[in-house]
Tab-separated table of all heavy atoms in Angstrom:
chain	number	residue	atom	x	y	z
B	176	SER	N	-1.960	-1.944	9.314
B	176	SER	CA	-2.456	-0.950	8.364
B	176	SER	C	-3.977	-0.889	8.416
B	176	SER	O	-4.627	-1.845	8.873
B	176	SER	CB	-2.043	-1.302	6.918
B	176	SER	OG	-0.656	-1.308	6.749
B	177	LEU	N	-4.517	0.208	7.941
B	177	LEU	CA	-5.954	0.275	7.735
B	177	LEU	C	-6.262	1.162	6.548
B	177	LEU	O	-5.470	2.046	6.196
B	177	LEU	CB	-6.704	0.726	8.979
B	177	LEU	CG	-6.772	2.207	9.376
B	177	LEU	CD1	-7.726	2.358	10.551
B	177	LEU	CD2	-5.449	2.788	9.644
B	178	THR	N	-7.412	0.889	5.943
B	178	THR	CA	-7.819	1.614	4.744
B	178	THR	C	-8.199	3.060	5.079
B	178	THR	O	-8.286	3.440	6.239
B	178	THR	CB	-9.009	0.912	4.091
B	178	THR	OG1	-10.053	0.788	5.074
B	178	THR	CG2	-8.629	-0.470	3.583
B	179	GLY	N	-8.399	3.842	4.042
B	179	GLY	CA	-8.745	5.246	4.241
B	179	GLY	C	-10.000	5.463	5.073
B	179	GLY	O	-10.055	6.376	5.903
B	180	SER	N	-10.985	4.598	4.893
B	180	SER	CA	-12.218	4.726	5.673
B	180	SER	C	-12.073	4.148	7.068
B	180	SER	O	-12.878	4.417	7.959
B	180	SER	CB	-13.339	4.013	4.967
B	180	SER	OG	-13.064	2.629	4.871
B	181	GLY	N	-11.053	3.307	7.252
B	181	GLY	CA	-10.843	2.656	8.537
B	181	GLY	C	-11.649	1.398	8.749
B	181	GLY	O	-11.573	0.787	9.824
B	182	ASP	N	-12.410	0.955	7.716
B	182	ASP	CA	-13.273	-0.193	7.941
B	182	ASP	C	-12.587	-1.533	7.707
B	182	ASP	O	-13.158	-2.580	8.028
B	182	ASP	CB	-14.547	-0.090	7.101
B	182	ASP	CG	-14.233	0.018	5.612
B	182	ASP	OD1	-13.046	0.018	5.251
B	182	ASP	OD2	-15.194	0.128	4.820
B	183	THR	N	-11.373	-1.503	7.161
B	183	THR	CA	-10.603	-2.747	6.987
B	183	THR	C	-9.240	-2.573	7.620
B	183	THR	O	-8.545	-1.596	7.316
B	183	THR	CB	-10.463	-3.115	5.513
B	183	THR	OG1	-11.747	-3.210	4.913
B	183	THR	CG2	-9.743	-4.457	5.373
B	184	THR	N	-8.909	-3.503	8.496
B	184	THR	CA	-7.627	-3.436	9.196
B	184	THR	C	-6.808	-4.673	8.913
B	184	THR	O	-7.338	-5.735	8.572
B	184	THR	CB	-7.837	-3.292	10.716
B	184	THR	OG1	-8.649	-4.400	11.185
B	184	THR	CG2	-8.560	-1.992	11.055
B	185	TYR	N	-5.515	-4.537	9.069
B	185	TYR	CA	-4.568	-5.622	8.806
B	185	TYR	C	-3.525	-5.619	9.932
B	185	TYR	O	-3.092	-4.550	10.370
B	185	TYR	CB	-3.848	-5.405	7.471
B	185	TYR	CG	-4.752	-5.137	6.296
B	185	TYR	CD1	-5.262	-3.872	6.073
B	185	TYR	CD2	-5.069	-6.144	5.372
B	185	TYR	CE1	-6.083	-3.598	4.987
B	185	TYR	CE2	-5.891	-5.889	4.287
B	185	TYR	CZ	-6.391	-4.614	4.099
B	185	TYR	OH	-7.210	-4.356	3.020
B	186	TYR	N	-3.127	-6.820	10.350
B	186	TYR	CA	-2.175	-6.916	11.461
B	186	TYR	C	-1.108	-7.974	11.166
B	186	TYR	O	-1.380	-9.015	10.555
B	186	TYR	CB	-2.881	-7.330	12.754
B	186	TYR	CG	-3.850	-6.283	13.277
B	186	TYR	CD1	-5.204	-6.384	12.987
B	186	TYR	CD2	-3.404	-5.228	14.048
B	186	TYR	CE1	-6.097	-5.426	13.460
B	186	TYR	CE2	-4.282	-4.272	14.528
B	186	TYR	CZ	-5.635	-4.374	14.242
B	186	TYR	OH	-6.503	-3.429	14.709
B	187	ALA	N	0.102	-7.695	11.651
B	187	ALA	CA	1.135	-8.718	11.658
B	187	ALA	C	0.766	-9.782	12.701
B	187	ALA	O	0.135	-9.476	13.723
B	187	ALA	CB	2.484	-8.110	12.007
B	188	GLY	N	1.187	-11.007	12.458
B	188	GLY	CA	0.874	-12.064	13.389
B	188	GLY	C	1.420	-11.821	14.776
B	188	GLY	O	0.839	-12.244	15.766
B	189	SER	N	2.543	-11.112	14.848
B	189	SER	CA	3.201	-10.877	16.129
B	189	SER	C	2.416	-9.941	17.048
B	189	SER	O	2.682	-9.897	18.253
B	189	SER	CB	4.604	-10.312	15.901
B	189	SER	OG	4.539	-9.111	15.154
B	190	VAL	N	1.469	-9.191	16.485
B	190	VAL	CA	0.720	-8.232	17.316
B	190	VAL	C	-0.782	-8.483	17.278
B	190	VAL	O	-1.527	-7.862	18.065
B	190	VAL	CB	0.993	-6.775	16.862
B	190	VAL	CG1	2.492	-6.500	16.827
B	190	VAL	CG2	0.358	-6.482	15.508
B	191	LYS	N	-1.239	-9.395	16.435
B	191	LYS	CA	-2.672	-9.632	16.307
B	191	LYS	C	-3.260	-10.069	17.633
B	191	LYS	O	-2.680	-10.927	18.310
B	191	LYS	CB	-2.923	-10.684	15.237
B	191	LYS	CG	-4.356	-10.720	14.739
B	191	LYS	CD	-4.471	-11.546	13.477
B	191	LYS	CE	-5.880	-11.451	12.904
B	191	LYS	NZ	-5.987	-12.175	11.610
B	192	GLY	N	-4.355	-9.454	18.021
B	192	GLY	CA	-5.016	-9.759	19.281
B	192	GLY	C	-4.516	-8.917	20.450
B	192	GLY	O	-5.124	-8.895	21.505
B	193	ARG	N	-3.395	-8.243	20.244
B	193	ARG	CA	-2.833	-7.375	21.314
B	193	ARG	C	-2.883	-5.896	20.933
B	193	ARG	O	-3.070	-5.039	21.775
B	193	ARG	CB	-1.387	-7.767	21.600
B	193	ARG	CG	-1.184	-9.177	22.063
B	193	ARG	CD	0.267	-9.384	22.542
B	193	ARG	NE	1.234	-9.158	21.477
B	193	ARG	CZ	2.227	-8.271	21.556
B	193	ARG	NH1	2.381	-7.523	22.624
B	193	ARG	NH2	3.083	-8.134	20.542
B	194	PHE	N	-2.701	-5.608	19.652
B	194	PHE	CA	-2.676	-4.224	19.169
B	194	PHE	C	-3.961	-3.953	18.388
B	194	PHE	O	-4.495	-4.834	17.711
B	194	PHE	CB	-1.478	-3.997	18.235
B	194	PHE	CG	-0.140	-3.991	18.905
B	194	PHE	CD1	0.039	-4.437	20.204
B	194	PHE	CD2	0.969	-3.533	18.205
B	194	PHE	CE1	1.280	-4.427	20.809
B	194	PHE	CE2	2.233	-3.505	18.797
B	194	PHE	CZ	2.381	-3.955	20.087
B	195	THR	N	-4.415	-2.686	18.457
B	195	THR	CA	-5.581	-2.251	17.691
B	195	THR	C	-5.275	-0.953	17.000
B	195	THR	O	-4.892	0.036	17.662
B	195	THR	CB	-6.808	-2.076	18.583
B	195	THR	OG1	-7.105	-3.312	19.263
B	195	THR	CG2	-8.018	-1.648	17.770
B	196	ILE	N	-5.398	-0.951	15.685
B	196	ILE	CA	-5.180	0.259	14.895
B	196	ILE	C	-6.536	0.921	14.658
B	196	ILE	O	-7.560	0.240	14.471
B	196	ILE	CB	-4.472	-0.052	13.561
B	196	ILE	CG1	-4.014	1.200	12.858
B	196	ILE	CG2	-5.363	-0.912	12.658
B	196	ILE	CD1	-3.116	0.960	11.634
B	197	SER	N	-6.534	2.255	14.668
B	197	SER	CA	-7.787	2.988	14.406
B	197	SER	C	-7.446	4.364	13.875
B	197	SER	O	-6.295	4.794	13.930
B	197	SER	CB	-8.632	3.083	15.688
B	197	SER	OG	-7.929	3.810	16.683
B	198	ARG	N	-8.433	5.011	13.350
B	198	ARG	CA	-8.233	6.373	12.856
B	198	ARG	C	-9.472	7.199	13.111
B	198	ARG	O	-10.605	6.659	13.160
B	198	ARG	CB	-7.893	6.339	11.371
B	198	ARG	CG	-8.980	5.852	10.458
B	198	ARG	CD	-8.441	5.600	9.025
B	198	ARG	NE	-7.946	6.822	8.399
B	198	ARG	CZ	-7.090	6.823	7.378
B	198	ARG	NH1	-6.658	5.679	6.860
B	198	ARG	NH2	-6.706	7.975	6.862
B	199	ASP	N	-9.260	8.485	13.270
B	199	ASP	CA	-10.375	9.432	13.400
B	199	ASP	C	-10.205	10.437	12.258
B	199	ASP	O	-9.363	11.339	12.320
B	199	ASP	CB	-10.316	10.131	14.752
B	199	ASP	CG	-11.491	11.066	14.993
B	199	ASP	OD1	-12.130	11.493	14.013
B	199	ASP	OD2	-11.774	11.376	16.163
B	200	ASN	N	-10.960	10.233	11.198
B	200	ASN	CA	-10.814	11.080	10.022
B	200	ASN	C	-11.298	12.503	10.250
B	200	ASN	O	-10.925	13.406	9.498
B	200	ASN	CB	-11.527	10.444	8.834
B	200	ASN	CG	-10.769	9.240	8.274
B	200	ASN	OD1	-9.597	9.028	8.572
B	200	ASN	ND2	-11.431	8.434	7.461
B	201	SER	N	-12.096	12.711	11.280
B	201	SER	CA	-12.533	14.076	11.594
B	201	SER	C	-11.435	14.863	12.280
B	201	SER	O	-11.447	16.109	12.259
B	201	SER	CB	-13.786	14.034	12.464
B	201	SER	OG	-13.491	13.552	13.758
B	202	LYS	N	-10.480	14.140	12.888
B	202	LYS	CA	-9.384	14.800	13.603
B	202	LYS	C	-8.023	14.543	12.951
B	202	LYS	O	-6.994	14.949	13.481
B	202	LYS	CB	-9.343	14.319	15.052
B	202	LYS	CG	-10.584	14.680	15.872
B	202	LYS	CD	-10.474	14.228	17.299
B	202	LYS	CE	-11.706	14.641	18.093
B	202	LYS	NZ	-11.632	14.171	19.513
B	203	ASN	N	-8.037	13.864	11.789
B	203	ASN	CA	-6.802	13.555	11.065
B	203	ASN	C	-5.772	12.878	11.982
B	203	ASN	O	-4.581	13.232	12.003
B	203	ASN	CB	-6.177	14.838	10.474
B	203	ASN	CG	-7.007	15.413	9.344
B	203	ASN	OD1	-7.986	14.809	8.913
B	203	ASN	ND2	-6.636	16.589	8.884
B	204	THR	N	-6.237	11.888	12.693
B	204	THR	CA	-5.392	11.206	13.675
B	204	THR	C	-5.453	9.706	13.501
B	204	THR	O	-6.527	9.138	13.340
B	204	THR	CB	-5.817	11.569	15.114
B	204	THR	OG1	-5.705	12.986	15.292
B	204	THR	CG2	-4.921	10.862	16.123
B	205	LEU	N	-4.268	9.105	13.545
B	205	LEU	CA	-4.100	7.652	13.516
B	205	LEU	C	-3.679	7.199	14.906
B	205	LEU	O	-2.906	7.893	15.570
B	205	LEU	CB	-3.033	7.279	12.482
B	205	LEU	CG	-2.603	5.809	12.399
B	205	LEU	CD1	-3.717	4.986	11.748
B	205	LEU	CD2	-1.300	5.697	11.605
B	206	SER	N	-4.172	6.064	15.346
B	206	SER	CA	-3.823	5.565	16.696
B	206	SER	C	-3.420	4.099	16.639
B	206	SER	O	-3.778	3.373	15.713
B	206	SER	CB	-5.001	5.733	17.652
B	206	SER	OG	-5.347	7.083	17.823
B	207	LEU	N	-2.644	3.708	17.642
B	207	LEU	CA	-2.289	2.300	17.829
B	207	LEU	C	-2.380	2.005	19.325
B	207	LEU	O	-1.580	2.528	20.112
B	207	LEU	CB	-0.899	1.996	17.307
B	207	LEU	CG	-0.499	0.523	17.358
B	207	LEU	CD1	-1.330	-0.291	16.350
B	207	LEU	CD2	0.993	0.334	17.063
B	208	GLN	N	-3.368	1.236	19.714
B	208	GLN	CA	-3.508	0.808	21.101
B	208	GLN	C	-2.744	-0.495	21.271
B	208	GLN	O	-3.018	-1.462	20.553
B	208	GLN	CB	-4.984	0.595	21.453
B	208	GLN	CG	-5.222	0.065	22.862
B	208	GLN	CD	-4.814	1.067	23.919
B	208	GLN	OE1	-5.086	2.258	23.800
B	208	GLN	NE2	-4.171	0.583	24.981
Side-chain angles (χ1 to χ4, degrees):
Chain B
S176 297
L177 79 173
T178 55
S180 63
D182 58 359
T183 304
T184 57
Y185 309 81
Y186 295 96
S189 58
V190 307
K191 197 167 186 176
R193 299 189 299 123
F194 289 13
T195 301
I196 191 171
S197 62
R198 66 191 297 160
D199 184 339
N200 286 345
S201 69
K202 296 182 179 179
N203 292 353
T204 300
L205 174 73
S206 297
L207 184 69
Q208 177 66 43

